[in-house]
Amino acid sequence: MPRVRADDYDTKYQAILDSAAALFAKVGYPSAKLQDVAKLCGATKSMLYHYFPTKDDLLQALLREHLERLLAEVEAAFASANSPKQRFYGFVEVFVTKSARSRQRHVSAMNDVKFLPSAKQTQIIDLERKVTSTITELLRELNPGLPDEVYAPYAMLLVGMLNWTDLWYKPSGKIKPGELCDRISRLYLRGFLAEKPEQSRSPGRRPRARPVAGEAR
């Protein structure tokens, strides 16, 4: 007979993920222990193992949930926009105005994917690439006619800039989120939209695209 889920299963599941994200962001994934996560969320170690048999399972679930939520928020922002430029501003806003909980998850996504075994990385890398391909196609709409091979590097330049805001930007500071979104969008678009096909075909080695939130693969 299948085991019946407790009514508070989802609540406890989210509490574990929140505690893990906070701990990983603070001490780093290699130094964090499952018993520390259990202590943070007021759970027993045996109860934590019921949800996540290993620390790798916990990290994989944390990153998967974060990236799926990010993609859903990008999709919602695109649905409410009337032009490619508005969708671009929506994409930037999703990254910059993440909640404190999402910011902790994003720091973990940037730093900790490399610690997962290869088999557990696959799903996360696929989600990262989906985020990257989304902005790549939007850039193609914004400035069509550039050499095909330059759109992915331009997308990674944008994603890299947005990723790192989580490590230095304080929403409570003098520059509020809306202003930062506007400044990032204007700075990037003024350069990208000024690019012409002849300017983009320069000699040299083609840069290799990197995933949305972490290390080179």
Side-chain angles (χ1 to χ4, degrees):
M1 182 175 179
R3 186 171 183 174
V4 178
R5 277 191 177 185
D7 292 338
D8 61 351
Y9 180 94
D10 291 338
T11 300
K12 289 180 178 178
Y13 183 90
Q14 286 300 323
I16 293 169
L17 292 185
D18 290 344
S19 298
L23 185 65
F24 296 165
K26 182 179 180 180
V27 306
Y29 180 74
S31 299
K33 296 180 174 58
L34 281 180
Q35 54 261 39
D36 297 328
V37 176
K39 185 177 179 180
L40 271 178
C41 64
T44 63
K45 191 174 178 181
S46 60
M47 189 272 278
L48 192 68
Y49 284 138
H50 172 63
Y51 288 83
F52 303 103
T54 70
K55 191 171 71 164
D56 288 343
D57 291 324
L58 175 53
L59 178 60
Q60 183 187 34
L62 175 72
L63 300 185
R64 183 182 65 246
E65 186 214 44
H66 169 68
L67 290 165
E68 287 175 345
R69 181 176 298 173
L70 183 68
L71 284 162
E73 290 176 358
V74 168
E75 184 177 344
F78 282 11
S80 63
N82 297 318
S83 68
K85 188 172 287 189
Q86 286 183 352
R87 291 201 295 276
F88 181 89
Y89 274 75
F91 185 89
V92 171
E93 185 177 15
V94 166
F95 268 77
V96 172
T97 62
K98 293 187 294 291
S99 67
R101 181 177 72 173
S102 292
R103 289 167 71 85
Q104 289 173 332
R105 282 161 162 71
H106 204 73
V107 170
S108 186
M110 284 194 292
N111 295 329
D112 299 335
V113 181
K114 62 181 177 287
F115 296 118
L116 286 175
S118 297
K120 291 186 180 295
Q121 285 188 23
T122 302
Q123 185 183 46
I124 307 305
I125 293 171
D126 287 344
L127 290 168
E128 291 176 341
R129 287 173 176 162
K130 190 172 181 179
V131 176
T132 304
S133 65
T134 297
I135 189 60
T136 298
E137 293 310 308
L138 178 57
L139 293 180
R140 201 184 305 274
E141 277 191 82
L142 283 163
N143 193 356
L146 299 180
D148 187 67
E149 67 270 14
V150 306
Y151 288 103
Y154 273 122
M156 294 314 303
L157 286 169
L158 174 65
V159 170
M161 177 168 59
L162 294 174
N163 276 343
W164 285 99
T165 60
D166 281 328
L167 298 182
W168 61 264
Y169 176 59
K170 305 296 182 186
S172 59
K174 290 184 178 180
I175 298 180
K176 299 308 176 186
E179 180 185 351
L180 182 63
C181 290
D182 187 60
R183 289 182 180 276
I184 290 173
S185 297
R186 285 188 285 113
L187 175 68
Y188 184 90
L189 286 178
R190 283 175 180 173
F192 177 69
L193 295 179
E195 284 292 278
K196 301 294 187 288
E198 63 274 13
Q199 294 174 321
S200 300
R201 287 196 178 279
S202 57
R205 184 171 178 266
R206 177 182 170 185
R208 183 164 64 95
R210 296 177 67 183
V212 62
E215 304 296 315
R217 304 297 178 201

